[in-house]
Structures are given as structure tokens and as C-alpha cells.
Amino acid sequence: CMARASLALLFSLCVAIVGTAETAPGAALVAKLSDTRINESSGLAISRRNPGIFWTLNDSGGGPYVFAFDDKGHTRARLESAGAANFDWEDIASGPDAQGNPSLFLGDIGDNLFIRPEIQVYQIAEPALDATTASAEVKIAQFKTLRAAYPDGRHNAESLLCHPQTGRLFIITKTNDGQCGVYAFPAALRTD
């Protein structure tokens, strides 16, 4: 029941971010993101550690920032992954790390020009947010960089998924002709 309610809220928030309620029959506007620093939201994830919190990030060139916001659209925190680069961040996923702890996976997986020999996903421990803080600035000094190359050449991708129980990562590629693929990271993630 809790999972269904979370999915319904996530769907409503997707509608709020992507367009108006008129674009999805039966949907209702839940919130608008008012933080002007979120100027090209590219991905949405439900917090596994902070009830009622969602995570988003900006697309390429948006800096190494991840934003936490509540169901009213108010920014609750901005994380800075010091040392990470936003070449073309396309999606964010939440899931467990190898020990089962809540983590965020930032998908630097875009490649519109098919020039990248490898992609990368940044893995950070999802921080616990202080419920009394309106908007916190948090520097993330420790994160893992998971680099990968596709077995069949270069691809552009928009979607990063994380299995909610195993933590296995999946990427869905995007093409203009509709011939997309689903690629799985190894079951055990390694930084090498």
C-alpha cells in the first residue's frame, strides 16, 4: 500500500515536472519546483532514507549538484559532489548499496554525439536530512565512480534504473529510430 502511494505521488510529481495535468489524463498537479537553480530537471528518484523527499538533478552542464525537494516542491537540500563532473547527467536512481544502505546513483550517461568511449555513474550514500532545515547545502566528499563501456559500441541514454532489492543498475538507451536497448551493469558493482 505504501509502495503504491509512493508510486502515485512519483507519477504526479513527474507530471508536475514535465508538464501540466492536461498532458496526462487523470493526473493532478501536486507541486511545482520553485528553485530556479533546477532549470533542466533530468531525472527523479524517491528517497529511501527521508520520507516525503524526492531527488532530482540538472542535465548536462548543470554542475555536480543533486537537489532534494518535498511534495510541495520546496527544496530541502542541495548536495554537491565535490570532484564529480556533469558531462551529461541524464537520470538519478535510488536504491541499496552492496550493504543494503540507501544510495543515490547519478547517471552521467548521455552521449548525443556518440563520442564517449565510456559512461559513468556516481554512487553516493543518501544523506539523512534534518526535518527542521528549510534548505541545506551539503558537500559530498566521498562517492564511487562506476565506469562502463557498452559491449556493442557507443550509445546515448536517458534512463538509469536501480533494482530496489538487489541494487543492480540498468540503463535504457535512446535512439531516433526507436531501436533502444536495455543494458545491465554487473551484479556486483566495482570501481575498476
Side-chain angles (χ1 to χ4, degrees):
C1 185
M2 176 75 161
R4 265 190 242 139
S6 293
L7 286 174
L9 181 58
L10 181 59
F11 173 76
S12 296
L13 286 169
C14 287
V15 170
I17 292 169
V18 175
T20 64
E22 290 79 31
T23 61
L29 178 64
V30 174
K32 286 188 178 186
L33 302 182
S34 57
D35 191 331
T36 57
R37 297 174 299 179
I38 305 171
N39 57 15
E40 192 178 355
S41 178
S42 186
L44 182 66
I46 295 174
S47 173
R48 295 175 62 94
R49 176 161 290 184
N50 305 283
I53 295 296
F54 301 87
W55 298 96
T56 191
L57 43 75
N58 283 320
D59 205 325
S60 59
Y65 303 107
V66 179
F67 297 86
F69 64 93
D70 61 25
D71 61 358
K72 304 288 186 227
H74 303 295
T75 299
R76 297 290 308 284
R78 182 178 80 158
L79 311 181
E80 178 182 358
S81 300
N86 182 343
F87 179 78
D88 196 358
W89 289 11
E90 291 292 354
D91 204 2
I92 183 171
S94 59
D97 67 9
Q99 292 74 40
N101 300 312
S103 294
L104 297 173
F105 299 90
L106 321 177
D108 189 3
I109 57 176
D111 190 10
N112 294 319
L113 301 176
F114 302 97
I115 59 172
R116 300 178 73 176
E118 65 182 20
I119 56 168
Q120 56 198 15
V121 173
Y122 296 109
Q123 177 185 344
I124 63 174
E126 182 181 347
L129 301 180
D130 181 354
T132 62
T133 304
S135 182
E137 296 286 327
V138 180
K139 286 216 185 242
I140 304 295
Q142 293 185 338
F143 56 87
K144 292 181 181 177
T145 304
L146 307 166
R147 291 181 173 79
Y150 295 102
D152 57 350
R154 298 171 183 175
H155 295 281
N156 187 29
E158 297 282 335
S159 297
L160 174 69
L161 307 170
C162 182
H163 190 283
Q165 293 173 329
T166 67
R168 189 156 192 190
L169 297 177
F170 299 87
I171 292 176
I172 302 173
T173 62
K174 176 183 114 172
T175 63
N176 292 334
D177 64 6
Q179 298 297 313
C180 304
V182 179
Y183 294 83
F185 273 70
L189 297 173
R190 299 179 1 200
T191 57
D192 63 350

